[in-house]
Amino acid sequence: MTPAGVPALDARLEHESQVEEGGSPRQVKAALRAVALGAVAERLGSQAVGSLWCFTGFLASPRNGKHVVLHIQDFQQDQFQGAS
């Protein structure tokens, strides 16, 4: 909860995939800090850890921060689970 009583959730999102770059396969891994507020935070908090999702939102640098944070505005289950 924020000081104003709005539900808030801090999360760490992880991505892993394989893409083609320069004609060769490349493993891609990334981790990103994320935050959600209000109803989105409540919905996200009830999802299983490790489940696959597509997120929409915006990136911002926090005050005095070195890394960007994804501010989640909505999410839906990944339609391409298991697709290669």
Side-chain angles (χ1 to χ4, degrees), residues 23-39:
S24 298
R26 178 178 176 179
Q27 288 292 113
V28 177
K29 292 183 180 183
L32 180 66
R33 183 171 168 242
V35 297
L37 298 172

Side-chain angles (χ1 to χ4, degrees), residues 14-61:
E14 295 183 5
H15 169 83
E16 186 174 339
S17 65
Q18 182 173 315
V19 296
E20 189 171 313
E21 180 179 46
S24 298
R26 178 178 176 179
Q27 288 292 113
V28 177
K29 292 183 180 183
L32 180 66
R33 183 171 168 242
V35 297
L37 298 172
V40 174
E42 291 176 333
R43 283 180 42 225
L44 186 56
S46 68
Q47 305 307 316
V49 172
S51 52
L52 302 177
W53 301 92
C54 290
F55 296 93
T56 57
F58 61 92
L59 295 173
S61 294

